[in-house]
């Protein structure tokens, strides 16, 4: 009987903790980027632009956009998980809660420090919630769904999505700047690092049963000598007749 389901059940509390801590840290780190005022990540530029036009909070816009993106999964035949649905609500709510208590900062040094903290914590959060393996975020699922349906590379699909929402966000009044560039350059390596840090232990594989040693086989006769052996009696008969 396989012990894998038992191991997964034992790890579920850790996976849930990773998921929700990661989503909370993601929302808080996004708020850090807003307060730094040096530029947001592409999706938050888009969210901020819509917030400027609608008067909604940026967290509320994040929830609404996440829900709309999740609807795009339907034609792509993507299946959401607990982490997917939780991502839609938890990030936006945590972002608004952090913005409510975090004041604006002024001055190059405080802004740079808050920007750096936001980017690093965003990488930590990404590693936490993705390593929990309870379902990708709505935007990540859209990326993988488009990759599968179009046959384009993940890099090309992701770049196209990011550039599209960034351009739309800037046109709507979102903040793009040096922080946007810094985020784009740093988030990939940081996410990869923290995915390794927070990765769950692999399931132990059951050892393969030992195979009985095969019986030794008698050496086969040399096939190259068979024609000569077959011809030897014929030549002897020829000589006797000669």
């Amino acid at each position: 009987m396989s012990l894998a389901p038992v191991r997964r059940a034992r790890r579920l509390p850790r996976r849930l903790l990773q998921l929700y801590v990661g989503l909370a840290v993601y929302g808080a780190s996004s708020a850090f980027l807003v307060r730094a005022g040096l530029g947001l990540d592409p999706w938050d530029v888009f969210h901020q632009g819509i917030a400027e036009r609608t008067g909604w909070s940026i967290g509320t816009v994040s929830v609404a956009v996440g829900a709309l993106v999740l609807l795009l999964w339907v034609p792509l035949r993507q299946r959401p998980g607990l982490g997917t649905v939780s991502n839609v609500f938890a990030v936006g709510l945590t972002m608004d809660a952090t913005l409510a208590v975090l004041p604006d900062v002024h001055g190059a040094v405080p802004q740079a420090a808050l920007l750096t903290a936001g980017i690093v914590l965003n990488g930590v959060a990404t590693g936490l919630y993705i390593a929990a393996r309870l379902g990708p975020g709505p935007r990540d699922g859209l990326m993988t769904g488009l990759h599968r349906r179009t046959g384009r590379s993940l890099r090309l699909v992701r770049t196209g999505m990011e550039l599209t929402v960034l351009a739309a966000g800037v046109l709507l009044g979102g903040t793009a700047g040096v922080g946007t560039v810094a985020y784009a350059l740093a988030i990939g390596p940081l996410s990869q690092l923290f995915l390794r840090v927070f990765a769950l232990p692999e399931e132990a594989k059951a050892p393969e049963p030992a195979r009985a040693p095969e019986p030794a086989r008698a050496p086969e006769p040399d096939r190259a000598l068979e024609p000569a052996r077959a011809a030897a009696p014929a030549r002897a008969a020829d000589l006797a007749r000669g």
Side-chain angles (χ1 to χ4, degrees), residues 46-48 50-51 54 56-66 139:
F46 182 57
H47 298 153
Q48 189 184 48
I50 295 177
T54 61
W56 296 356
S57 70
I58 189 171
T60 301
V61 173
S62 176
V63 172
V65 170
R139 297 156 186 83

Side-chain angles (χ1 to χ4, degrees), residues 222-236:
D222 191 344
R223 296 182 182 275
L225 298 177
E226 288 181 359
R229 291 171 181 168
R235 287 198 297 270

Side-chain angles (χ1 to χ4, degrees), residues 1-4 6:
M1 178 179 177
S2 174
L3 296 178
V6 177

Side-chain angles (χ1 to χ4, degrees), residues 98-200:
T98 306
L99 287 171
V101 298
L102 185 66
D104 289 324
V105 296
H106 303 283
V109 173
Q111 286 178 293
L114 197 58
L115 172 69
T116 302
I119 293 174
V120 173
L121 286 175
N122 204 278
V124 172
T126 301
L128 277 167
Y129 85 79
I130 291 181
R133 295 184 294 185
L134 288 169
R139 297 156 186 83
D140 294 327
L142 179 62
M143 174 189 66
T144 55
L146 288 172
H147 157 69
R148 191 175 64 252
R149 292 298 296 271
T150 64
R152 304 294 183 183
S153 69
L154 282 172
R155 180 182 300 179
L156 180 62
V157 172
R158 182 62 179 262
T159 301
M161 287 173 53
E162 299 283 327
L163 290 177
T164 300
V165 297
L166 176 60
V170 170
L171 292 174
L172 290 170
T175 304
V178 64
T180 308
V181 177
Y183 183 94
L185 293 175
I187 194 60
L190 285 171
S191 298
Q192 186 173 5
L193 169 64
F194 288 110
L195 273 169
R196 289 198 298 265
V197 171
F198 299 115
L200 295 168

